[in-house]
């Protein structure tokens, strides 16, 4: 009876883990698409701008504004994708001197530290967005939704660091 | 406060993502200055509005498309046919192809990955010794850093507030000088290798030139476009990315839009995103440090201890070599440049010259332990231990150090374009 209960609990845990992994992978795919599409749109708008300016002698200043916001979306989403693939830039000059055991012990606290910092940055981004909403001149209000990329980006970064920590713990349990 | 800073440095050294360390530093600095930390987000937003920033992802995209397409092979074929007949010619071919490729790929290690696998067996089969081959290919991974449209130059220009076109011009002669010096070394060292002699065949050179004419036209088009006043840097970046995409998908058909475009765009965003987030957060932090008058304190300290420009330049080189060995090039530019720039200006060094000195030092740092990224990538690519590769790089690094001294103490090499 007890062993059945344990197996049931284990199965439930496995299913839960599978669901989380599936959600995680879907999230990574969506982030990749968002980054790629914003870059593609940035390229298309830049080319359109060159074309219109050279052939029709005028331009859309809104394209410039949209491009600057697309740059942030592309950058933030790119940073999120880099984090999910563990491709972020780091110095780690000391890790080469440590054994693999010490390095693996350090990974989870580092991921937690990073998650904490990203959560704090997300909080300050929300304050920034609220301030912008309150004080933005009426002709710039249409750009405000773009600024949401800061809290969204930092919250996704935070989430990925938490996922990373979970993966590290899962792996160390398996070992 | 000192303890917190020490702790953050330690966290960075044990492998925390650099942007989180910088963000933590920014929050700490804003708390010390009694300013709300949302200033960091305001600075991020301000930097993103800087007009030349859009050129960064677009030039990166051009580099990534080139790396994924067949440009590496076409360029090597051409350089081999054109310069392979020279004594030590294949070494010179490797230098030329790597410099060309790095200028576009932004010295992110792509050069060693894309060209290393192609050039390594070629050089070894020809009879080039192991140490020469691995040393040459490892150091060549960052060779085109001073040529337009290198990302490092663009980032330096944005951070230092220097005109990007001026920086492009400033890098050309020092970059060519380094190529020349390394070619001379390649020629000198290869005399002992008993290499087979090749003849120069005009038709082979012309055929391979035809094969990569579209690739070779690109830097010329960029230079003419920007310096001829036809396009801005951002427009040149958009045009270059589109041009490379058309060349690889329509002309050479090495890539297909359906299969390759999305992975390429994602790869580019990953590269750019990991850079942008550091760029924007670091700038917020350094602005806080500037508000706290840190450069002024540094300047006062330097004025007490350093009397002449010569002395300052020597110290600067020593400092930057250490920085280059410890930090990756982009983070080094972002963190160190705002602090060094006012000092350099006070000692009468032109910002563009400072930029070239800065990048030259970091170019050397790419191949020095403990964080020389070229060493790690080459170690993965050639399956060799990092220290063995470093030993192989030493003669090349020695040549580069001589070059660094020349570039540092003869500012005219970087500032030839300036009016008297």
């Amino acid at each position: 009876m007890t062993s059945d209960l344990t197996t049931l609990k284990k199965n439930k845990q496995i299913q839960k883990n599978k669901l989380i992994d599936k959600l995680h992978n879907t999230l990574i795919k969506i982030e990749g698409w968002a980054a790629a599409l914003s870059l593609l749109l940035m390229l298309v708008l830049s080319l359109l701008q060159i074309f219109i300016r050279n052939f029709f002698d005028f331009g859309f200043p809104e394209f410039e504004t949209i491009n600057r916001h697309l740059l942030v979306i592309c950058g933030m989403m790119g940073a999120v994708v880099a984090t999910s693939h563990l491709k972020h830039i780091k110095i780690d000059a000391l890790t080469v001197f440590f054994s693999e055991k010490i390095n693996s012990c350090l990974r989870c606290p580092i991921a937690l530290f990073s998650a904490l910092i990203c959560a704090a940055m997300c909080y300050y981004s929300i304050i920034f967005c609220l301030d912008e909403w309150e004080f933005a001149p009426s002709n710039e209000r249409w750009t405000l939704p773009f600024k949401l990329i800061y809290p969204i980006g930092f919250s996704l970064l935070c989430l990925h660091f938490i996922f990373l920590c979970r993966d590290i713990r899962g792996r160390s349990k398996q070992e | 406060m000192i303890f917190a800073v020490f702790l953050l440095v330690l966290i960075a050294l044990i492998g925390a993502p650099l942007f989180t360390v910088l963000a933590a530093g920014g929050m700490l600095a804003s708390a010390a200055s009694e300013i709300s930390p949302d200033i960091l987000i305001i600075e991020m937003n301000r930097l993103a509005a800087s007009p030349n920033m859009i050129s960064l992802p677009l030039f990166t995209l051009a580099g990534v498309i080139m790396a994924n397409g067949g440009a590496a092979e076409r360029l090597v074929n051409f350089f081999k046919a054109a310069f392979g007949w020279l004594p030590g010619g294949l070494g010179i071919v490797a230098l030329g192809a790597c410099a060309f490729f790095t200028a576009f790929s932004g010295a992110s290690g792509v050069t060693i990955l894309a060209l290393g696998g192609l050039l390594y067996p070629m050089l070894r089969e020809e009879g080039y010794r192991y140490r020469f081959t691995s040393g040459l290919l490892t150091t060549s991974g960052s060779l085109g850093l001073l040529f337009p449209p290198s990302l490092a130059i663009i980032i330096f220009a944005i951070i230092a507030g220097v005109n990007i076109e001026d920086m492009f011009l400033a890098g050309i002669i020092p970059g060519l000088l380094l190529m020349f010096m390394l070619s001379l070394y390649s020629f000198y060292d290869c005399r002992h290798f008993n290499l087979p002699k090749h003849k120069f065949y005009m038709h082979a050179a012309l055929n391979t030139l035809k094969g990569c004419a579209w690739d070779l036209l690109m830097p010329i088009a960029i230079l003419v476009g920007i310096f001829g006043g036809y396009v801005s840097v951002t427009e040149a970046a958009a045009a270059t990315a589109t041009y490379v995409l058309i060349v690889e998908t329509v002309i050479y058909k090495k890539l297909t839009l359906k299969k390759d475009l999305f992975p390429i765009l994602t790869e580019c965003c990953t590269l750019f995103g990991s850079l942008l987030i550091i760029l924007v957060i670091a700038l917020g932090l350094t602005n806080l440090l500037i508000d706290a008058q840190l450069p002024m304190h540094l300047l006062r300290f330097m004025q007490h201890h350093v009397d002449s420009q010569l002395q300052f330049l020597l110290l600067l080189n020593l400092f930057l070599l250490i920085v280059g060995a410890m930090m990756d090039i982009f983070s080094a530019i972002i963190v160190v440049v705002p602090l060094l720039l006012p000092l350099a200006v006070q000692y009468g060094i032109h910002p563009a010259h400072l930029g070239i000195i800065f990048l030259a030092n970091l170019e050397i740092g790419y191949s020095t332990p403990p964080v020389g990224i070229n060493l790690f990538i080459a170690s993965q690519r050639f399956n060799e231990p990092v220290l063995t590769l470093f030993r192989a790089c030493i003669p090349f690094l020695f040549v580069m150090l001589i070059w660094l001294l020349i570039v540092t103490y003869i500012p005219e090499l970087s500032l030839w374009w300036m009016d008297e």
Side-chain angles (χ1 to χ4, degrees):
Chain A
M1 187 69 181
T2 330
S3 72
D4 279 355
L5 256 175
T6 325
T7 322
L8 201 71
K9 264 186 184 174
K10 261 189 182 172
N11 283 342
K12 264 192 174 175
Q13 188 62 39
I14 289 169
Q15 271 182 342
K16 205 174 122 189
N17 283 346
K18 269 187 184 169
L19 187 72
I20 293 174
D21 285 342
K22 208 176 167 187
L23 276 174
H24 189 196
N25 290 336
T26 315
L27 194 64
I28 291 173
K29 265 188 200 160
I30 294 171
E31 290 157 357
W33 274 103
L37 284 179
S38 50
L39 178 60
L40 193 63
L41 197 57
M42 199 158 55
L43 181 65
V44 171
L45 287 183
S46 300
L47 285 175
L48 260 177
Q49 191 81 319
I50 300 175
F51 183 77
I52 293 171
R53 189 167 52 81
N54 283 297
F55 290 94
F56 302 103
D57 226 13
F58 75 101
F60 294 106
E62 291 83 8
F63 278 15
E64 193 75 17
T65 316
I66 293 173
N67 256 352
R68 284 178 191 172
H69 288 101
L70 284 174
L71 175 96
V72 183
I73 296 174
C74 165
M76 283 303 280
M77 282 300 157
V80 173
V81 176
T83 298
S84 64
H85 291 124
L86 295 180
K87 279 185 180 167
H88 40 239
I89 297 175
K90 50 191 177 181
I91 297 177
D92 66 357
L94 285 182
T95 50
V96 284
F97 302 111
F98 296 158
S99 65
E100 183 49 36
K101 199 177 169 189
I102 298 177
N103 279 333
S104 59
C105 287
L106 287 172
R107 271 175 211 135
C108 198
I110 287 173
L112 275 179
F113 164 81
S114 306
L116 194 73
I117 297 296
C118 290
M121 289 299 281
C122 176
Y123 170 72
Y124 294 120
S125 314
I126 292 169
I127 294 179
F128 165 77
C129 286
L130 290 174
D131 282 350
E132 287 284 300
W133 185 257
E134 201 171 339
F135 300 113
S138 55
N139 60 334
E140 282 178 19
R141 276 197 175 264
W142 68 276
T143 64
L144 292 179
F146 286 111
K147 312 236 168 179
L148 289 175
I149 187 61
Y150 294 112
I152 292 172
F154 280 115
S155 55
L156 285 172
L157 281 167
C158 176
L159 196 64
H160 279 297
F161 282 118
I162 293 169
F163 274 128
L164 179 65
C165 198
R166 174 183 161 269
D167 286 350
I168 294 166
R169 282 190 60 196
R171 239 178 287 145
S172 62
K173 264 183 192 171
Q174 273 178 1
E175 280 164 14
Chain B
M1 184 72 175
I2 292 169
F3 174 72
V5 172
F6 176 76
L7 196 68
L8 280 181
V9 172
L10 192 71
I11 291 172
L13 291 177
I14 60 173
L18 193 59
F19 77 88
T20 59
V21 178
L22 293 170
M27 284 183 225
L28 211 68
S30 57
S33 318
E34 293 174 357
I35 302 170
S36 169
D38 56 338
I39 186 85
L40 291 169
I41 312 291
I42 296 171
E43 291 289 345
M44 279 177 87
N45 197 45
R46 193 178 61 81
L47 183 73
S50 130
N52 286 318
M53 277 297 281
I54 296 171
S55 65
L56 273 181
L58 297 177
F59 275 131
T60 311
L61 179 63
V64 174
I65 296 170
M66 275 181 77
N68 282 281
E73 205 177 333
R74 291 191 298 270
L75 286 169
V76 169
N77 286 342
F78 165 66
F79 280 112
K80 196 179 167 191
F83 303 108
W85 58 275
L86 287 166
L90 205 52
I92 299 169
V93 169
L95 290 170
C98 288
F100 187 94
F101 212 77
T102 308
F104 285 89
S105 63
S108 49
V110 178
T111 306
I112 297 174
L113 292 176
L115 283 167
L118 205 69
L119 287 165
Y120 188 87
M122 217 184 254
L123 286 158
R124 293 289 289 140
E125 271 168 33
E126 188 87 358
Y128 285 80
R129 281 183 202 152
Y130 158 74
R131 271 181 82 160
F132 177 87
T133 307
S134 45
L136 174 83
L137 291 178
T138 309
T139 40
S140 297
S142 53
L143 205 56
L145 212 65
L146 295 181
F147 293 127
S150 144
L151 288 188
I153 289 192
I154 298 177
I155 294 180
F156 180 89
I158 290 173
I159 300 289
V162 186
N163 194 334
I164 292 184
E165 286 92 334
D166 291 352
M167 277 306 296
F168 280 166
L169 286 174
I172 290 174
I173 290 187
L176 287 174
L177 179 68
L178 178 62
M179 295 270 297
F180 175 71
M181 287 174 70
L182 286 174
S183 300
L184 266 187
Y185 172 72
S186 173
F187 167 69
Y188 171 78
D189 204 37
C190 291
R191 288 178 312 152
H192 318 294
F193 291 178
N194 197 20
L195 298 171
K197 283 190 178 138
H198 294 285
K199 278 187 180 169
F200 175 74
Y201 294 105
M202 187 53 113
H203 68 274
L206 284 176
N207 272 344
T208 50
L209 175 65
K210 243 188 254 171
C212 72
W214 293 100
D215 300 309
L216 291 175
L217 266 177
M218 193 167 44
I220 300 167
I222 293 174
L223 290 176
V224 171
I226 293 176
F227 296 111
Y230 303 109
V231 284
S232 67
V233 174
T234 308
E235 289 171 345
T240 307
T242 315
Y243 176 89
V244 181
L245 191 64
I246 292 171
V247 166
E248 294 292 352
T249 52
V250 180
I251 297 175
Y252 294 122
K253 295 191 171 66
K254 290 278 176 187
L255 300 171
T256 55
L257 284 180
K258 199 177 167 190
K259 204 178 109 204
D260 300 308
L261 185 62
F262 176 69
I264 284 174
L265 288 171
T266 316
E267 189 185 335
C268 169
C269 291
T270 312
L271 270 173
F272 171 65
S274 55
L275 216 115
L276 181 88
I277 194 150
I278 294 179
L279 196 75
V280 289
I281 292 179
L283 207 68
L285 169 64
T286 37
N287 281 348
L288 281 168
L289 295 179
I290 289 166
D291 284 347
Q293 300 214 315
L294 185 70
M296 289 300 116
H297 294 307
L298 269 174
L299 183 63
R300 246 171 269 143
F301 174 81
M302 293 290 274
Q303 277 170 338
H304 265 286
H305 297 88
V306 181
D307 303 322
S308 64
Q309 193 195 59
L310 199 78
Q311 226 178 332
F312 175 77
L313 284 172
L314 196 70
L315 275 176
L316 181 73
N317 276 333
L318 277 176
F319 172 70
L320 288 177
L321 282 173
I322 297 169
V323 168
M326 300 296 291
M327 286 173 95
D328 108 281
I329 188 161
F330 299 116
S331 13
I333 294 173
I334 298 153
V335 177
V336 182
V337 169
L339 302 177
L340 273 185
L341 191 66
L343 297 182
V345 171
Q346 281 293 323
Y347 280 92
I349 297 159
H350 191 278
H353 183 213
L354 174 75
I356 299 306
I357 297 174
F358 200 94
L359 297 180
N361 275 286
L362 298 188
E363 197 167 331
I364 295 173
Y366 257 91
S367 305
T368 50
V371 193
I373 197 162
N374 280 354
L375 289 174
F376 292 107
I377 293 173
S379 161
Q380 272 180 346
R381 194 77 182 89
F382 309 134
N383 274 329
E384 291 293 342
V386 169
L387 274 179
T388 315
L389 284 171
F390 176 57
R391 230 177 289 140
C393 287
I394 288 173
F396 295 92
L397 290 175
F398 185 71
V399 175
M400 288 174 93
L401 279 174
I402 297 172
W403 164 74
L404 173 67
L405 290 176
I406 297 173
V407 167
T408 305
Y409 294 109
I410 310 179
E412 288 77 14
L413 292 174
S414 315
L415 304 175
W416 55 271
W417 44 272
M418 273 178 69
D419 295 329
E420 282 299 313

